[in-house]
């Protein structure tokens, strides 16, 4: 499996998140890959991410809250062990974000019509 949207494809940390439980994004994670997930969330309308989190690529409280809102709205729940969404970007979440961002990048703009 691989990620396909331009934002995520080829980013080692996000590719690992798709297949490795230890690579999930959780509170306290930092880096460019966190910033890319934040960018996707903002583009999808989950834009209440604190400026400091967003600028510095920190998976802080506001990022965790945005992830939880995203997962709640999409009902992303691993029914094997959860009854409600959590605020972690794991396999199901990164796949969902990738799918939505890929669909979004493939929509023609009015000027292209």
């Amino acid at each position: 499996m691989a990620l396909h949207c331009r934002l995520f494809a080829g980013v080692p940390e996000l590719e690992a998140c798709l297949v490795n439980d230890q690579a999930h994004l959780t509170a306290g994670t930092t880096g460019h890959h966190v910033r890319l997930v934040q960018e996707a969330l903002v583009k999808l309308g989950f834009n209440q991410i604190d400026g400091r989190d967003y600028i510095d690529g920190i998976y802080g409280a506001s990022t965790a809250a945005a992830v939880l809102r995203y997962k709640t709205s999409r009902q992303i729940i691993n029914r094997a062990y959860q009854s409600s969404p959590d605020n972690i970007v794991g396999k199901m979440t990164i796949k969902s974000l990738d799918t939505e961002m890929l669909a979004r990048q493939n929509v023609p703009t009015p000027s292209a019509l």
Side-chain angles (χ1 to χ4, degrees):
M1 285 175 60
L3 297 172
H4 301 288
C5 77
R6 284 190 289 264
L7 194 60
F8 296 162
V11 178
E13 298 89 348
L14 298 179
E15 296 283 355
C17 184
L18 185 63
V19 296
N20 183 349
D21 292 341
Q22 286 72 37
H24 291 176
L25 278 63
T26 59
T29 304
T30 61
H32 178 69
H33 61 296
V34 173
R35 178 68 177 76
L36 295 175
V37 168
Q38 292 167 332
E39 187 176 332
L41 289 165
V42 167
K43 287 181 178 180
L44 295 171
F46 298 87
N47 54 358
Q48 294 88 13
I49 297 174
D50 177 67
R52 217 49 277 157
D53 281 7
Y54 193 71
I55 292 166
D56 295 336
I58 299 169
Y59 199 114
S62 65
T63 301
V67 169
L68 181 59
R69 284 191 304 277
Y70 173 79
K71 291 176 73 167
T72 298
S73 71
R74 305 309 195 264
Q75 286 298 296
I76 300 173
I77 302 168
N78 187 332
R79 304 253 181 227
Y81 62 91
Q82 291 179 307
S83 58
S84 61
D86 59 25
N87 62 5
I88 294 171
V89 176
K91 296 172 185 176
M92 294 169 66
T93 309
I94 198 68
K95 180 65 178 161
S96 178
L97 285 166
D98 182 60
T99 299
E100 286 193 55
M101 293 305 294
L102 181 63
R104 197 172 258 256
Q105 79 187 27
N106 290 329
V107 172
T109 59
S111 62
L113 298 177

